[in-house]
Amino acid sequence: MTGLEPEPVPEGEVPRQRFVPESLPAPDGGPGTKPNSGTSVMRVATPGMITLRGRIRSEPIASAVRKAIGIDIPEPRRILSVDGRSLAWMSPDELLILTPLGGSGSTIAALSSALEGQYALLADVSDARLCFRIAGPSSRELIAKGCPVDLSPEAFSPGDFRRSRLGQVPVALWMPDPGQFMLLCFRSVSDFVEHWLQNAAQGEFSGYL
Amino acid sequence: MSRRLSEGGRLIDREVPLGFLWNNRRLTGFRGDTLASALLANDQQLAGRSFKYHRPRGIVTAGPEEPNALVQLGHGASSEPNLRATTVELADGLRATSQNHWPSLEFDIGAATGYLAPLFAAGFYYKTFMWPRVAWKHVFEPLIRRSAGLGIPPTQPDPDHYEHYHAHVDVLVVGSGIAGLVAAGAAADAGARVLVLEQNPEFGGRAPVDGITVDGLAASEWIDDCVADLAWRDLVRVRNRTTVLGVYDHGYVFACEHRPRPNMDKSRADAPRQRLWRIRARQIVMATGAIERPLAFAGNDVPGVMLASAARDYAVNFGVGIGDRVVVVTNNDSAYLTATALAEAGIGIAGILDIRESPAGPALDRARAVGLDVRTGMSVASVFGRRQVLGVSATASNGDGARTERIVANAVVMSGGWSPSVHLWSHCGGKLAWDANRGCFLPDADRPPAGADGVGMVIPVGAANGTMDASGIPDEAVRAGREAARRAGHRGRRGRQSSASHPAQAEDAAESQPELAWMVPRQAKRSLRSRAFLDYQNDVKVTDIELAVREGFQSVEHAKRYTTLGMATDQGKLSNVNGIGILATSMGQEIAGVGTTTFRPPYTPLTLGAIAGEAHGPLFKPVRKTPMDGWHDDHGAHWEPVADWRRPYCYLRDGETVKAAINREILNTRRRVGLLDASTLGKILVSGPDSGRFLDMLYTGRMSTLRQGRCRYGLMCNENGFLIDDGVIARLGEETFLCHTTSGGSDRIHAWMEEWLQTEWWTWKVWTVNLTEQFVQVGIVGPEARTVMERLGNIDVSDEALRFMDHVDGELAGFPVRLFRISFSGELSYEIQLPAAAGLEFWTQALEAGADLGIQPYGTEALHVMRAEKGFIMIGDETDGTVTPQDLGLDWAVSRLKSDYLGKRAQARSYLNAPDRWRLVGLATEDPNAVLPDGAYATDGSRQQDGGKTMIGRVTSSYWSPTINRSIALGLVERGPDRMGEVIGFPVESGRTIRAKIVDPVFLGQDAGANA
């Protein structure tokens, strides 16, 4: 999605391993709390990003955005992607528009003309945030060590988007495909977030999800 | 004489012996033992000393409610104090030591306080405050501090690691007894996501020990089947060793999981030692069981006196006999289970003293059938022995204990009935009701803790709900599980009905109807009452409660605090109900009228490590870094925290002191040119048709009249008229402004703007975006700044093209920039704003461009000194939340013509206009080399009513100025601007006073550094 150049990941979600209490005989010899099995954390190239503030559900704004980008306004807490660009719902009056790397300028130009005369604010925020990719069978568990979002597959899957917290800092996250998460944090705390993610990637996982 | 029995012990593996150290003595237990069971197996009944009287105390329970057997585990860095031996899993090489004694557990000098017990009566601690006054400081406090405290906190960093985990669930089931497992199955059948948490390593609660059968199966077999069935269902998760600690608003639940270690002294790199579960549950099924109560009789704290259920646990679970001749004393049927279980294990029962006159039922029949001596209407009058039980005197339970009969015994087991574990119900506001028939506090179904929707979020089931008879549990638990699922939004969906977790019936071996007696014998004389303990850990006796009542502490909350009943680390799990019973009896009231104290989280203590999780060391707190952070670090940055950012305080060169570096940076900037990383400044874009009007309300000055391309300095006040932020505002377009905030204020001021827009002025057409992280900002400052700018690009930076307080967009060093000509130092100064990703490259190009001109980076301290030399204020230095713009002589930045702005009304109040307010002045010390300490107070020599010195001002900023070669300071002084030239004194340490003349705050005159 959107110029993030994900490395190939396994199709679909890796089957989850179940936590089996140690006093129980495991019917199929399954594991207890599971060890880290190839879950990876890495910085990835940050997409172009634009903040749009406006009454995003109103028809004039929605149709202007559709005209400029060709994507409908996403439902609350969702992200929609078409042809390398995405719209992420940030709040009832804020969208985050993701473009291919370096593509924010042309998109802003298109949006500005489509929104001419509308009461809305556009700002290029491509440098404000940095992006991480978390991939592998335990990526949900890894993030759940510090993020209060329900990350179970029933509650969070590709198309969902959340602004939340990780450790002590604000983040936004979504799943470009079933095997991985993208996570945005503010540029100034990216060292902290990277350290946090690497720390969480070590050792065992709870095996809950 | 407690010992390992030759047979039995369903939880231990006799094939795997484990060596451990107890007070440096090598002992052996088996895998599956708790530390407590292993100690008892080694005839170690004495496990600790009590807090106040240092009385010898033994293991009294087999669970987390244990008040006595608190131990220090491990040694060195991984040592952990105050662990309950009853919940510590034995591990090979485990080291444990007992606490609260000196020099040894067996001989403790502190026990002398026991003989002085009359002096240490209830409220002793509070009475020490009263009289004589001098005694508190010199006698009582040192004494109490030395004797207080239980274990010893480790002094080295904890080598283990801890983590948090966020889980979401429809139904959280707390407890894995029959009630919890059945409820979990029923909730999952209805389609709910279920998490079952069990505090112990093994599942099943009390059922396997208490001889319960389920659908004809022994409880342990049924439980194994049921847990296996649940654990492999997609909708159900089952965790052991995880204690639910607290229930909070909206179903937020804390639980702590203990990860076992193969060896106690080895930290595990691969796994956290503890995991703090932060659970959001739609519904909580409270299947937490019940805790047996002691009986209050004289000597009920002698090691060897134990709860009947615990003695049963030790025999059945661990194959440990707590004595050879055991006296059973009870007010209900359940202790008969212990009597028969111990008898079956080959332990001699010296007699069963049942305080009831004519009890009957299957439990008694079975006891009599195996030949046990049941003596009704009898109780223990007193226990013989001090460090171990030597026997008891038996007496009529309704008498005064005068006529007694001696029974030789080496252990006593007691049962005073059962208290449902209702803690989780109470944590978030659920109310309790006293049930006189069952003799316990029960969750009041009409007053549950309510969730966000106003509906009850906790459903009690089983013994926690007062259902003591197992036969009633399956149906109740199915109903509870379905109801929890229904409330969680899973209505009527029929999943599979698993027979494994859906038993038709359960049968109990004993019914339990206690006959309440808060003190036995009921008419006990004072000599017995004063030796009958209610709260073991805090040494609260029956007579202490009675004293509290006599002294007027009759509310249950007062009596608790006065006597410290229930205030120990066990939070009164054994003692609360008995104490309330004594309180009610003393006042001649019913318990229902006395009520109960409130249970508060955590249910059991947890470690600071678990609370902190990963947040220690480098992850303790996020540090915000600018894109040039790495360059600063490579070039000698001496860091200082500024809000969450780290900024260079100064850049140290080889061998240079901090002070020398600051002076060098200041002089270089004033004489040549300096470079400042100002990226941390807040930058908030404000746009929309009403943006001018909006900023006119937020700032004290008028911003709507600002012309495009110009900047204006603005002050922001709160509704109380006090300064909260300042910064430069630039008008970018007809409807668009960029507002700079202080470094610490960017998030706060953005939130402040949004709050007003969203809650008060929601019709105003204004949008805001916080662009702080999008841009870096670099200051190029000093006489040579213009030359550097001219080398960096083609923007015309002449005085004519770019006046002071102008801004312009352009290109510098190949990057698109916004250039501001603003100054915080009095020098010629340009601030360049550009996208953050280009920040480091621009920074290094600017350094190269100015290299031959002597350009040097400067840090925050040079920045601060230079602004103070010019008398510019700093939010957070000159302001502290009680300072107005007028106090700082900033009237020029406050519009008198505007009809309103935030703070205007407050600034019209008489107090904020009082002539004697402390106002900003400069302070020139008489000795130019003396630098006033920051925050020093000036006094006028007079005294206040309370004897304190009258203070007339304080230092808000104070520095050495290398520019004018003397100390400078800013301060707030009463009527300061009216007292120019006056000399005032600042008393500092060791009786010294620094005298300073009140002067104009601008130290560096208009002619110096006037190139701005």
Side-chain angles (χ1 to χ4, degrees):
Chain A
M1 145 190 283
T2 62
L4 302 177
E5 298 130 32
E7 287 174 9
V9 291
E11 283 295 313
E13 197 125 16
V14 175
R16 287 174 290 139
Q17 296 173 316
R18 296 293 305 273
F19 169 86
V20 178
E22 292 181 16
S23 62
L24 271 187
D28 64 356
T33 300
K34 60 188 175 183
N36 184 352
S37 45
T39 299
S40 67
V41 170
M42 67 169 64
R43 287 183 190 246
V44 292
T46 306
M49 282 179 276
I50 301 157
T51 287
L52 187 160
R53 294 215 57 187
R55 304 220 165 99
I56 58 175
R57 314 286 291 178
S58 70
E59 185 44 37
I61 303 271
S63 61
V65 170
R66 203 179 300 119
K67 183 180 150 206
I69 307 183
I71 309 178
D72 288 329
I73 303 293
E75 293 294 310
R77 301 187 304 283
R78 299 282 290 174
I79 183 169
L80 283 174
S81 306
V82 174
D83 290 341
R85 289 196 286 202
S86 302
L87 291 189
W89 186 95
M90 297 286 273
S91 81
D93 54 18
E94 183 174 344
L95 286 178
L96 185 66
I97 298 150
L98 305 178
T99 73
L101 189 59
S104 58
S106 58
T107 304
I108 285 197
L111 276 167
S112 297
S113 69
L115 286 164
E116 185 73 44
Q118 297 296 329
Y119 163 49
L121 174 58
L122 287 167
D124 190 332
V125 292
S126 299
D127 286 12
R129 297 178 176 91
L130 293 178
C131 193
F132 290 88
R133 180 160 59 84
I134 300 104
S138 294
S139 46
R140 291 175 185 274
E141 299 255 276
L142 189 158
I143 298 168
K145 289 183 183 185
C147 176
V149 170
D150 186 349
L151 292 170
S152 62
E154 308 87 73
F156 200 93
S157 54
D160 283 312
F161 183 90
R162 287 289 188 289
R163 297 172 83 180
S164 184
R165 297 185 73 76
L166 187 80
Q168 302 171 56
V169 298
V171 297
L173 50 102
W174 74 100
M175 299 181 77
D177 59 59
Q180 60 177 325
F181 282 85
M182 288 295 174
L183 187 140
L184 287 176
C185 69
F186 284 113
R187 176 179 285 268
S188 67
V189 292
S190 64
D191 282 359
F192 177 87
V193 168
E194 182 170 31
H195 193 135
W196 193 100
L197 289 168
Q198 298 289 4
N199 180 66
Q202 288 166 12
E204 67 166 38
F205 290 97
S206 79
Y208 174 72
L209 285 173
Chain B
M1 285 299 291
S2 61
R3 64 190 166 89
R4 183 80 69 183
L5 301 168
S6 56
E7 289 176 7
R10 66 182 192 97
L11 299 181
I12 57 166
D13 183 349
R14 291 179 189 250
E15 303 290 306
V16 186
L18 302 174
F20 68 103
L21 285 175
W22 169 249
N23 288 341
N24 282 325
R25 202 148 56 85
R26 186 168 171 77
L27 303 174
T28 306
F30 293 125
R31 188 162 74 188
D33 263 325
T34 64
L35 175 59
S37 68
L39 288 174
L40 289 170
N42 287 280
D43 193 23
Q44 184 68 47
Q45 286 173 317
L46 177 61
R49 292 271 174 172
S50 67
F51 189 77
K52 190 162 146 190
Y53 299 142
H54 290 241
R55 285 175 66 88
R57 288 283 162 73
I59 296 158
V60 71
T61 74
E65 63 273 24
E66 175 65 33
N68 288 344
L70 301 184
V71 301
Q72 182 105 22
L73 208 60
H75 66 116
S78 62
S79 175
E80 191 178 348
N82 303 340
L83 285 168
R84 297 160 299 285
T86 48
T87 60
V88 172
E89 292 177 56
L90 196 66
D92 202 30
L94 177 145
R95 291 168 186 239
T97 48
S98 51
Q99 303 183 155
N100 223 31
H101 51 71
W102 186 84
S104 75
L105 178 60
E106 284 71 25
F107 179 78
D108 177 17
I109 283 175
T113 53
Y115 301 110
L116 303 174
L119 288 178
F120 293 90
F124 163 76
Y125 179 70
Y126 302 107
K127 285 164 183 163
T128 61
F129 297 156
M130 304 300 291
W131 182 89
R133 203 168 160 176
V134 68
W136 167 250
K137 188 171 177 192
H138 297 291
V139 180
F140 293 121
E141 188 185 3
L143 186 78
I144 288 171
R145 286 207 187 280
R146 204 173 321 130
S147 61
L150 296 163
I152 302 159
T155 55
Q156 298 150 278
D158 190 336
D160 283 305
H161 68 107
Y162 302 80
E163 70 181 32
H164 289 188
Y165 188 77
H166 293 268
H168 295 253
V169 68
D170 290 325
V171 177
L172 173 68
V173 177
V174 188
S176 71
I178 294 172
L181 295 178
V182 172
D189 284 343
R193 280 197 291 170
V194 179
L195 172 62
V196 183
L197 295 181
E198 166 57 50
Q199 66 186 2
N200 291 322
E202 69 285 350
F203 297 94
R206 293 209 57 80
V209 178
D210 286 356
I212 290 167
T213 58
V214 186
D215 284 350
L217 289 175
S220 57
E221 288 178 54
W222 179 84
I223 284 160
D224 284 350
D225 290 351
C226 185
V227 173
D229 169 62
L230 289 174
W232 289 92
R233 291 211 220 177
D234 278 342
L235 284 173
V236 185
R237 302 286 185 271
V238 183
R239 311 289 294 210
N240 53 350
R241 293 188 175 94
T242 307
T243 305
V244 173
L245 299 167
V247 172
Y248 301 86
D249 288 331
H250 302 188
Y252 185 35
V253 176
F254 266 14
C256 190
E257 177 181 9
H258 295 259
R259 304 288 303 140
R261 290 194 277 197
N263 182 317
M264 285 312 297
D265 282 340
K266 225 157 80 187
S267 59
R268 286 180 65 164
D270 61 323
R273 181 177 180 187
Q274 291 172 359
R275 177 180 287 125
L276 190 71
W277 286 69
R278 304 170 66 172
I279 302 162
R280 275 83 177 175
R282 291 181 198 279
Q283 284 287 309
I284 299 154
V285 173
M286 182 177 80
T288 46
I291 295 172
E292 196 167 23
R293 290 196 293 263
L295 281 168
F297 52 83
N300 64 348
D301 69 326
V302 175
V305 180
M306 184 182 280
L307 292 177
S309 57
R312 194 154 80 238
D313 289 339
Y314 287 117
V316 176
N317 285 338
F318 305 105
V320 168
I322 62 148
D324 299 310
R325 277 180 63 79
V326 179
V327 168
V328 180
V329 54
T330 184
N331 69 356
N332 68 90
D333 289 355
S334 69
Y336 287 84
L337 292 178
T338 301
T340 46
L342 298 189
E344 279 168 18
I347 296 168
I349 302 296
I352 301 174
L353 306 178
D354 192 325
I355 74 162
R356 297 171 295 183
E357 293 295 337
S358 46
L364 274 80
D365 297 342
R366 271 195 296 279
R368 287 191 167 117
V370 297
L372 298 183
D373 179 16
V374 179
R375 303 166 72 175
T376 62
M378 295 288 284
S379 78
V380 170
S382 181
V383 177
F384 301 119
R386 180 163 178 82
R387 289 198 303 197
Q388 67 180 77
V389 173
L390 302 174
V392 303
S393 58
T395 189
S397 59
N398 284 328
D400 63 2
R403 290 165 56 89
T404 61
E405 170 195 345
R406 186 173 180 130
I407 301 175
V408 174
N410 55 14
V412 179
V413 305
M414 59 187 166
S415 178
W418 291 80
S419 295
S421 294
V422 294
H423 307 69
L424 303 182
W425 176 270
S426 301
H427 282 172
C428 200
K431 300 301 179 196
L432 302 174
W434 175 253
D435 185 317
N437 287 330
R438 283 182 276 193
C440 57
F441 283 104
L442 290 178
D444 183 344
D446 294 332
R447 294 183 293 168
D453 51 5
V455 176
M457 61 184 186
V458 179
I459 301 178
V461 63
N465 196 33
T467 309
M468 299 297 174
D469 178 1
S471 63
I473 285 179
D475 285 347
E476 181 192 351
V478 167
R479 280 197 306 276
R482 284 184 184 152
E483 174 63 11
R486 190 189 66 76
R487 289 188 199 168
H490 297 277
R491 293 165 182 275
R493 182 176 138 196
R494 286 181 67 82
R496 71 185 221 190
Q497 300 287 331
S498 161
S499 60
S501 60
H502 200 142
Q505 61 180 66
E507 273 183 43
D508 217 332
E511 291 170 23
S512 207
Q513 280 297 340
E515 182 180 306
L516 297 178
W518 303 117
M519 169 80 212
V520 288
R522 284 192 166 89
Q523 312 299 325
K525 53 199 179 191
R526 188 185 151 79
S527 62
L528 297 179
R529 299 202 311 279
S530 67
R531 290 192 293 127
F533 283 82
L534 297 169
D535 185 319
Y536 292 118
Q537 200 178 121
N538 270 355
D539 280 327
V540 180
K541 309 180 297 302
V542 169
T543 44
D544 291 321
I545 300 282
E546 293 169 349
L547 177 67
V549 169
R550 282 204 304 281
E551 295 190 348
F553 297 93
Q554 301 190 343
S555 150
V556 63
E557 299 285 359
H558 291 157
K560 165 185 168 173
R561 283 157 184 81
Y562 194 58
T563 62
T564 70
L565 177 92
M567 288 168 66
T569 62
D570 63 332
Q571 293 190 327
K573 292 186 178 67
L574 299 188
S575 64
N576 269 347
V577 173
N578 285 348
I580 290 164
I582 295 290
L583 184 66
T585 309
S586 304
M587 297 193 298
Q589 287 189 13
E590 297 297 319
I591 284 186
V594 171
T596 178
T597 55
T598 308
F599 295 104
R600 304 199 189 279
Y603 175 69
T604 50
L606 75 163
T607 61
L608 292 173
I611 295 170
E614 84 290 344
H616 62 91
L619 293 174
F620 173 63
K621 195 176 189 313
V623 175
R624 298 177 74 179
K625 298 176 180 176
T626 76
M628 291 82 102
D629 181 273
W631 188 95
H632 302 323
D633 208 31
D634 290 343
H635 292 80
H638 181 69
W639 296 105
E640 83 161 338
V642 178
D644 285 346
W645 297 93
R646 67 170 188 178
R647 299 186 70 182
Y649 182 80
C650 62
Y651 299 82
L652 290 176
R653 294 185 168 178
D654 283 345
E656 196 176 36
T657 64
V658 169
K659 192 176 170 188
I662 294 164
N663 290 342
R664 170 180 53 75
E665 290 173 8
I666 293 167
L667 293 175
N668 188 70
T669 304
R670 292 247 183 248
R671 291 170 186 169
R672 292 194 282 268
V673 58
L675 195 62
L676 177 74
D677 181 359
S679 307
T680 60
L681 283 179
K683 309 163 201 84
I684 302 170
L685 192 63
V686 177
S687 183
D690 291 316
S691 53
R693 178 190 182 194
F694 175 62
L695 296 184
D696 280 350
M697 281 303 291
L698 287 182
Y699 289 95
T700 59
R702 193 182 283 284
M703 297 302 156
S704 55
T705 57
L706 187 61
R707 276 173 291 125
Q708 286 185 41
R710 292 288 290 164
C711 300
R712 189 168 288 167
Y713 176 67
L715 301 173
M716 225 183 248
C717 293
N718 59 18
E719 310 96 305
N720 301 317
F722 298 127
L723 275 167
I724 58 171
D725 210 68
D726 70 348
V728 169
I729 296 93
R731 186 162 204 158
L732 306 183
E734 179 55 34
E735 295 184 352
T736 305
F737 297 81
L738 183 75
C739 301
H740 287 99
T741 75
T742 57
S743 294
S746 59
D747 291 339
R748 176 170 53 87
I749 297 302
H750 185 231
W752 174 248
M753 289 177 171
E754 285 293 325
E755 181 183 346
W756 285 99
L757 287 172
Q758 292 179 27
T759 65
E760 297 293 333
W761 306 323
W762 61 88
T763 58
W764 296 15
K765 291 190 166 176
V766 181
W767 297 115
T768 70
V769 176
N770 188 345
L771 293 176
T772 304
E773 298 269 7
Q774 167 69 14
F775 296 113
V776 294
Q777 196 135 323
V778 176
I780 298 180
V781 181
E784 303 283 6
R786 184 168 286 133
T787 312
V788 178
M789 294 298 297
E790 284 163 356
R791 291 178 184 177
L792 281 170
N794 293 322
I795 302 178
D796 184 350
V797 291
S798 64
D799 274 332
E800 297 72 36
L802 192 69
R803 295 162 299 164
F804 183 54
M805 299 301 260
D806 274 354
H807 67 87
V808 66
D809 288 357
E811 192 178 293
L812 287 177
F815 300 111
V817 303
R818 176 163 295 136
L819 172 61
F820 305 86
R821 185 166 162 204
I822 50 183
S823 177
F824 197 39
S825 58
E827 296 297 334
L828 174 65
S829 165
Y830 301 92
E831 289 197 12
I832 301 104
Q833 190 175 76
L834 70 160
L840 179 58
E841 173 64 20
F842 180 84
W843 177 265
T844 52
Q845 287 205 32
L847 282 168
E848 279 168 29
D852 61 318
L853 302 169
I855 197 168
Q856 290 177 14
Y858 65 96
T860 52
E861 187 64 2
L863 166 81
H864 286 181
V865 175
M866 286 191 283
R867 64 89 196 174
E869 288 171 340
K870 292 295 292 179
F872 296 146
I873 65 114
M874 192 86 173
I875 296 289
D877 283 343
E878 276 63 47
T879 71
D880 64 357
T882 68
V883 174
T884 68
Q886 295 82 1
D887 293 338
L888 299 182
L890 294 170
D891 307 67
W892 60 269
V894 180
S895 167
R896 287 184 188 76
L897 300 175
K898 286 197 302 184
S899 60
D900 199 8
Y901 59 83
L902 294 177
K904 181 180 172 79
R905 173 68 188 85
Q907 286 164 3
R909 284 190 206 135
S910 59
Y911 177 74
L912 292 191
N913 288 293
D916 60 349
R917 280 189 69 79
W918 292 13
R919 303 184 61 194
L920 185 74
V921 292
L923 295 165
T925 50
E926 288 188 333
D927 171 4
N929 291 315
V931 179
L932 282 162
D934 248 330
Y937 277 91
T939 58
D940 64 1
S942 70
R943 296 271 173 179
Q944 301 280 82
Q945 265 185 333
D946 65 0
K949 294 174 180 170
T950 304
M951 290 177 282
I952 56 164
R954 68 168 185 278
V955 176
T956 54
S957 295
S958 180
Y959 308 99
W960 173 259
S961 165
T963 315
I964 58 175
N965 210 28
R966 63 154 297 139
S967 78
I968 59 168
L970 301 177
L972 294 166
V973 174
E974 188 179 306
R975 296 183 293 104
D978 303 335
R979 301 163 69 168
M980 285 297 158
E982 197 178 314
V983 174
I984 54 176
F986 292 83
V988 293
E989 75 284 358
S990 58
R992 217 157 49 90
T993 294
I994 298 178
R995 293 166 57 79
K997 188 159 79 173
I998 297 176
V999 298
D1000 189 276
V1002 182
F1003 288 92
L1004 204 55
Q1006 296 298 322
D1007 49 336
N1011 301 316

